[in-house]
């Protein structure tokens, strides 16, 4: 089950018609965890007028409810929505959006015009790590000041790739075990299944090595970018 939480700030949720309180959301997720139901959360960053502090409330709520999966996006102000009309009224959009504007939009951009929008875009890309690894919050907050980039987009996709690999691998393993069980001693087919099982194990080991190499490369690259950014701007080691 996936619930559309959208934001950890009640005032923002209320504006889009989501009037459940944070304690109620926590209660529902705790109930799902209690009964072994896998539960996901949909969250959005970049609401008109949203502050970094309000966006962090979304991170903190997700830490409390501990979703099995978390899907984040930058707000897309589709034509005709009440939140789009509200954004136009309050000056966050110049006009009601068009289908042509929607088709040219990517997830490293937003049509919403406000000073902190680049930070909120980066929060979308790094939200998984901010939720799952609270100890990295201070470091990740420094990264939020960087311009949105392709590396952050790749970091956002990594957990999804990991999840797909996990469940596709489990499915392959169970299928092979089932085939062995129903084969009832057919020697040639058993040998083929054993070979497939060995190939599957090799692929898993290879994929793990590749993921480690990618992670190390990205961490080194990001660290270099952060250090260069701090040298160029004189940014102190402080929270945003």
């Amino acid at each position: 089950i996936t619930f559309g939480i959208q934001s950890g700030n009640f005032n923002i949720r209320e504006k889009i018609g989501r009037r459940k309180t944070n304690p109620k959301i926590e209660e529902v997720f705790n109930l799902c965890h209690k009964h072994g139901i896998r539960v996901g959360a949909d969250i959005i960053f970049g609401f008109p007028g949203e502050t970094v502090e309000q966006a962090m409330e979304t991170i903190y709520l997700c830490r409390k409810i501990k979703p099995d999966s978390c899907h984040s996006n930058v707000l897309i102000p589709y034509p005709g929505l009440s939140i789009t009309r509200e954004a136009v009224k309050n000056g966050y959009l110049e006009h009601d959006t068009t289908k042509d504007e929607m088709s040219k939009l990517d997830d490293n951009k937003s049509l919403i015009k406000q000073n902190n929008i680049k930070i909120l875009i980066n929060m979308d890309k790094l939200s998984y790590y901010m939720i799952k690894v609270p100890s990295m919050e201070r470091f990740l907050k420094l990264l939020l000041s960087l311009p949105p980039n392709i590396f952050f987009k790749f970091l956002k996709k990594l957990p999804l790739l990991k999840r797909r690999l996990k469940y596709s691998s489990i499915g392959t393993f169970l299928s092979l075990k089932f085939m062995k069980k129903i084969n009832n001693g057919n020697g040639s087919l058993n040998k083929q299944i054993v070979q497939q099982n060995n190939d599957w194990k090799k692929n898993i080991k290879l994929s793990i090595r590749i993921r480690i190499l990618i992670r190390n490369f990205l961490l080194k690259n990001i660290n270099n970018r952060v250090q260069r950014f701090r040298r160029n701007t004189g940014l102190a080691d402080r929270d945003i």
Side-chain angles (χ1 to χ4, degrees):
I1 303 174
T2 299
F3 291 100
I5 294 173
Q6 316 308 9
S7 174
N9 181 272
F10 179 75
N11 292 331
I12 290 178
R13 283 203 307 274
E14 194 172 29
K15 290 179 181 178
I16 58 174
R18 305 293 176 94
R19 296 179 175 85
K20 298 296 183 185
T21 62
N22 283 11
K24 189 64 177 179
I25 292 172
E26 292 176 39
E27 180 185 341
V28 170
F29 273 76
N30 288 335
L31 190 63
C32 289
H33 293 319
K34 178 181 177 181
H35 293 281
I37 300 172
R38 288 186 56 80
V39 60
D42 272 334
I43 56 177
I44 294 176
F45 296 96
F47 286 98
E50 183 178 28
T51 65
V52 174
E53 290 74 21
Q54 289 173 326
M56 285 303 300
E57 288 182 45
T58 304
I59 301 295
Y60 298 145
L61 177 59
C62 287
R63 287 179 187 172
K64 286 184 178 180
I65 62 179
K66 296 180 174 62
D68 295 290
S69 61
C70 196
H71 312 282
S72 69
N73 286 289
V74 176
L75 176 75
I76 301 177
Y78 287 106
L81 292 181
S82 59
I83 193 168
T84 304
R85 293 192 294 269
E86 190 73 16
V88 174
K89 178 181 177 181
N90 293 318
Y92 296 107
L93 284 172
E94 295 177 358
H95 54 79
D96 198 355
T97 51
T98 64
K99 291 182 179 179
D100 184 57
E101 287 175 318
M102 295 294 99
S103 65
K104 295 177 181 178
L105 200 61
D106 68 41
D107 59 355
N108 251 350
K109 296 179 181 179
S110 174
L111 295 174
I112 301 297
K113 307 298 182 183
Q114 56 191 48
N115 293 334
N116 65 357
I117 194 62
K118 291 184 178 180
I119 292 176
L120 298 177
I121 290 172
N122 283 338
M123 287 190 77
D124 162 56
K125 305 302 176 294
L126 301 175
S127 59
Y128 173 87
Y129 306 95
M130 298 183 82
I131 293 167
K132 295 292 185 180
V133 194
S135 59
M136 290 184 66
E137 180 179 325
R138 189 176 179 84
F139 170 70
L140 291 172
K141 277 188 172 183
L142 289 174
L143 298 185
L144 295 179
S145 297
L146 296 174
N149 58 74
I150 192 171
F151 293 104
F152 289 177
K153 289 178 70 172
F154 183 76
L155 284 174
K156 179 182 176 180
K157 293 179 180 178
L158 273 181
L160 179 60
L161 293 173
K162 178 182 177 182
R163 186 168 179 266
R164 285 179 177 174
L165 176 63
K166 175 181 177 181
Y167 288 102
S168 63
S169 300
I170 290 175
T172 303
F173 177 75
L174 293 177
S175 297
L176 291 171
K177 296 287 284 185
F178 178 72
M179 287 175 64
K180 288 180 71 174
K181 186 173 181 179
I182 66 173
N183 188 44
N184 293 327
N186 186 320
S188 60
L189 184 56
N190 270 337
K191 289 180 181 179
Q192 183 179 350
I193 291 172
V194 170
Q195 182 60 45
Q196 289 175 337
N197 199 11
N198 290 336
D199 292 342
W200 168 77
K201 290 178 181 178
K202 289 179 182 178
N203 289 336
I204 293 298
K205 290 180 181 179
L206 179 61
S207 67
I208 292 173
R209 291 196 190 101
I210 292 173
R211 279 159 48 194
I212 291 173
L213 288 172
I214 292 173
R215 182 197 65 185
N216 291 341
F217 169 77
L218 287 173
L219 288 176
K220 182 178 179 181
N221 187 282
I222 289 172
N223 185 57
N224 290 339
R225 283 172 174 263
V226 170
Q227 294 302 324
R228 186 162 61 249
F229 175 78
R230 292 177 64 185
R231 285 197 301 270
N232 293 340
T233 61
L235 182 67
D237 186 17
R238 64 178 186 272
D239 290 341
I240 294 172

